[in-house]
Amino acid sequence: MSDEDILDRIRELEPTIDAIKKLQESGLMAALETLAEQADLIINYASDMEILGTLSLLFRLMGIADISLGKINQEDLIKDAKEIDWASLFKMLFSILKYIANDAKNIPKPAGKQKLKDALGELRSPETEYLMKLMSGISSQIMSKKD
Amino acid sequence: MIVMKKVVVVGAGAGGGLVTSKLRAKTSREEVEITVIDSTGRTDFQPSYPMVSIGLKRPSEIGVSFDNFSKTGIKPVKAKVTSINADERIVKTDTGDIPYDELILSPGAKIENEKLPNSESIGHFWDMEHSLDLRKKLINLKEGKIVIGVTSMIYKCPPVPWEMGMLLDNMYRNLGIRNRIEIKVVHWAPKPMSMFGPVISDPVTKWMEESNIEGNYGFEFSSIDPEKKKIISKKGDEENYDLAILAPPHSVPDFVKNSENLLSQRGWLDANANTFRPKKYDDIYGLGDAIAPTLGLGMAGVFAHFQADTVASLVLNDLDGIYPPFAYNKVGLCASDMGSTGWISYCDFSGKIKDNSVPFPDCGVLGSGPLFKLAHSIYEKYFLGAVYGGWIR
């Protein structure tokens, strides 16, 4: 490889070197280095039933969300969103918030610390799934009327 | 003057390989001499043996010569351990004696190949050599019945008979001859993977049905008749085959069997689930498949991996008196590549280790689908990279 070739290769790498330099200056490189140093234990730390259970629920939720969202025509949705009377909608939302604020004191607090896994478990309840399917059904109906 | 400590590791597999690299990373060459003894001279990612047998992976992709250890000052010794003189702290091998201050035993299980008849219609994938041999047999089979089974209750990687069934289903579908190949899993378990409870067993049972993989369950292997191509159960049931893929009997390595003080009541390498020491010694540690039956665990690399984290910390504590011990994580993860799909399951074995009468561990499924196939390959590269620091070319 000639000197010119080597210089060409360095020039090709310049944007990458610049990006790495920025990472270094930002402190992110130091954080990555720590991760690399501790990498041998990452799998061990991550193999926790709470973390794995939460991940498992997230993957299932993604599946449900994917089915619901997959039926929506995004272009039509954006077009329809522009036609919404936002002033009326916000007025309605504020009245709902006011109602929630007034009645919040009557809602019992969950016993004990609420874990993320439990919260996700509630999200996965049949009621939530029904709501998502209902939304999906409504969106399908709206789209079919557009055709 | 610094007195150099001698750490000897027996076995360069999942447990031995990882514990060695962890110890090297935390100790200096001047203060600690590390020697690894292994009879194969290689570290294989054993969960990929089924892929080697169906031609999806090459041996060089899943195995690394342990000579690479010498790059960081670790001494690799290719030898067979014949006995341990624990009183004089000497490991005796077929190539000479090796003294130690700390001894880590991760020899794996002895695969008793000689107990299976040598036949063209019998094979297995529980070691590299036989996986390559099985590849030829699978390619030559154009029609007939494949039986996948186990000859003992204990064998490496409990889920693998079903995983192999799915891999073969996918392979023969791709070859366009699946309709001419019958695949059947013959196993002592009452249902597919029922030893892990319904959370795991139910979806696997469904996949077996969907893939048209038959099963003969509650079948405890007794003998094989290579002439008539039949395997026979303890109850006298027979299962005929054109190609039998059978896990050979697994047993405790001879040098452990011959050392009464190293044996547990269950006849395997003795080790405590917290200290990983046999009852009678405080300078010997055991981990991996050789201690799995003692702890009431199945034989799997993931157990050896987390045991290596703990054993390395305990040995480092012995060496410097201050290194904090790392508690043993009893959760096991399994990333399976099953040909057309993959899945990740996990189980917490804490309850089972505490009380072996507990029927199955607490398990869950992280997810399944083609994307999950990647997890197996990513872990394969991670494992070999972690053992050899990335010098795996």
Side-chain angles (χ1 to χ4, degrees):
Chain A
M1 195 181 271
S2 68
D3 289 353
E4 196 54 41
D5 288 339
I6 293 168
L7 282 171
D8 279 346
R9 297 299 290 272
I10 291 172
R11 272 185 222 111
E12 280 170 19
L13 286 171
E14 242 181 62
T16 311
I17 294 166
D18 284 346
I20 292 171
K21 194 161 173 26
K22 280 175 197 159
L23 282 173
Q24 194 182 339
E25 285 163 1
S26 69
L28 278 172
M29 206 54 127
L32 283 174
E33 192 189 353
T34 309
L35 266 180
E37 277 171 7
Q38 301 284 323
D40 63 326
L41 293 174
I42 284 175
I43 293 180
N44 200 322
Y45 288 138
S47 296
D48 171 89
M49 290 303 273
E50 180 78 13
I51 294 172
L52 292 167
T54 304
L55 276 175
S56 163
L57 289 168
L58 277 172
F59 278 122
R60 288 182 209 185
L61 269 175
M62 275 163 59
I64 296 171
D66 188 42
I67 292 164
S68 305
L69 295 172
K71 290 178 183 169
I72 297 171
N73 182 326
Q74 291 180 19
E75 280 181 21
D76 283 353
L77 191 70
I78 292 164
K79 198 178 150 202
D80 289 349
K82 284 177 184 167
E83 291 168 8
I84 290 171
D85 180 359
W86 290 103
S88 306
L89 190 66
F90 277 122
K91 195 176 170 187
M92 190 177 79
L93 280 173
F94 280 123
S95 64
I96 292 171
L97 285 173
K98 193 179 166 189
Y99 169 80
I100 292 171
N102 286 339
D103 281 22
K105 58 182 180 292
N106 300 324
I107 300 168
K109 282 184 183 172
K113 193 183 163 192
Q114 183 87 345
K115 290 180 178 174
L116 180 59
K117 187 183 166 186
D118 298 335
L120 286 167
E122 280 171 26
L123 268 175
R124 276 190 63 231
S125 66
E127 290 82 3
T128 313
E129 193 176 346
Y130 173 75
L131 272 174
M132 292 184 90
K133 281 182 179 163
L134 189 69
M135 282 166 62
S136 166
I138 292 167
S139 64
S140 300
Q141 284 297 313
I142 294 168
M143 295 306 153
S144 64
K145 280 178 186 171
K146 292 271 172 198
D147 295 335
Chain B
M1 188 182 115
I2 296 169
V3 180
M4 186 181 264
K5 294 271 186 184
K6 294 176 191 297
V7 175
V8 173
V9 182
V10 175
L18 284 168
V19 85
T20 301
S21 74
K22 281 166 193 293
L23 288 173
R24 181 74 302 160
K26 306 278 183 190
T27 58
S28 75
R29 299 182 195 196
E30 292 73 32
E31 291 177 23
V32 179
E33 178 190 89
I34 303 174
T35 305
V36 187
I37 309 167
D38 192 278
S39 59
T40 68
R42 229 175 39 230
T43 301
D44 290 341
F45 184 69
Q46 297 184 25
S48 289
Y49 283 157
M51 280 90 177
V52 171
S53 71
I54 63 164
L56 274 181
K57 301 258 182 190
R58 294 189 306 273
S60 60
E61 287 177 287
I62 71 154
V64 176
S65 164
F66 83 155
D67 291 340
N68 284 291
F69 274 132
S70 57
K71 292 175 184 171
T72 48
I74 296 164
K75 195 175 165 193
V77 177
K78 190 173 177 181
K80 189 180 170 191
V81 175
T82 52
S83 65
I84 307 286
N85 183 340
D87 295 327
E88 291 181 31
R89 291 180 167 173
I90 291 170
V91 178
K92 292 184 172 290
T93 78
D94 55 0
T95 61
D97 293 356
I98 302 171
Y100 67 83
D101 295 304
E102 300 272 339
L103 176 62
I104 300 164
L105 299 175
S106 184
K110 182 184 171 191
I111 308 290
E112 302 199 76
N113 286 313
E114 64 284 359
K115 290 197 176 169
L116 280 183
N118 191 4
S119 159
E120 265 309 297
S121 54
I122 301 170
H124 75 78
F125 51 83
W126 271 264
D127 63 36
M128 182 71 91
E129 290 68 28
H130 285 84
S131 300
L132 288 167
D133 181 56
L134 179 61
R135 183 189 287 197
K136 293 178 205 150
K137 291 171 178 170
L138 288 168
I139 289 167
N140 289 337
L141 190 79
K142 304 296 178 199
E143 62 180 343
K145 179 177 169 186
I146 300 175
V147 164
I148 308 162
V150 297
T151 60
S152 54
M153 294 291 279
I154 298 166
Y155 59 93
K156 282 198 272 190
C157 193
V160 80
W162 295 278
E163 192 181 340
M164 186 61 175
M166 296 282 285
L167 283 168
L168 289 177
D169 168 64
N170 189 55
M171 180 182 115
Y172 286 114
R173 272 180 210 281
N174 289 340
L175 289 172
I177 57 169
R178 178 66 175 93
N179 56 346
R180 286 190 258 147
I181 305 280
E182 190 184 339
I183 304 170
K184 194 165 193 174
V185 177
V186 175
H187 202 278
W188 51 259
K191 278 177 73 184
M193 288 203 214
S194 54
M195 57 280 224
F196 299 105
V199 174
I200 303 292
S201 180
D202 290 352
V204 176
T205 303
K206 195 167 152 250
W207 290 337
M208 293 296 118
E209 286 166 5
E210 286 170 358
S211 306
N212 197 22
I213 297 166
E214 293 176 71
N216 185 348
Y217 294 109
F219 187 104
E220 283 188 56
F221 176 90
S222 166
S223 60
I224 188 160
D225 184 339
E227 301 288 317
K228 292 180 182 164
K229 291 189 177 178
K230 277 180 182 173
I231 55 171
I232 301 130
S233 79
K234 286 180 181 169
K235 286 182 188 165
D237 297 335
E238 293 180 351
E239 190 69 56
N240 65 319
Y241 63 82
D242 294 298
L243 175 60
I245 302 173
L246 293 173
H250 289 41
S251 65
V252 65
D254 292 336
F255 78 88
V256 179
K257 190 158 65 181
N258 298 332
S259 306
E260 201 182 317
N261 288 343
L262 292 177
L263 279 179
S264 69
Q265 283 183 335
R266 291 182 182 165
W268 287 79
L269 180 58
D270 191 24
N272 175 290
N274 296 312
T275 64
F276 289 93
R277 291 182 180 127
K279 280 181 277 302
K280 298 190 176 140
Y281 301 102
D282 60 5
D283 51 6
I284 299 179
Y285 294 85
L287 73 157
D289 291 347
I291 68 161
T294 299
L295 299 189
L297 290 169
M299 291 179 177
V302 66
F303 298 129
H305 181 156
F306 291 171
Q307 287 161 9
D309 291 343
T310 299
V311 169
S313 74
L314 294 169
V315 172
L316 288 165
N317 185 278
D318 286 349
L319 293 172
D320 69 7
I322 195 165
Y323 195 89
F326 189 87
Y328 174 41
N329 185 350
K330 301 174 185 79
V331 172
L333 276 170
C334 181
S336 299
D337 182 340
M338 298 182 294
S340 60
T341 190
W343 82 318
I344 302 178
S345 55
Y346 56 93
C347 298
D348 183 356
F349 289 82
S350 309
K352 195 139 180 55
I353 289 175
K354 206 171 174 182
D355 175 6
N356 203 38
S357 66
V358 171
F360 40 78
D362 178 18
C363 295
V365 176
L366 198 61
S368 60
L371 196 61
F372 285 87
K373 275 161 61 78
L374 284 177
H376 181 97
S377 291
I378 290 170
Y379 184 74
E380 178 186 286
K381 297 299 170 210
Y382 166 83
F383 167 73
L384 293 171
V387 173
Y388 290 103
W391 331 289
I392 52 174
R393 288 186 187 277

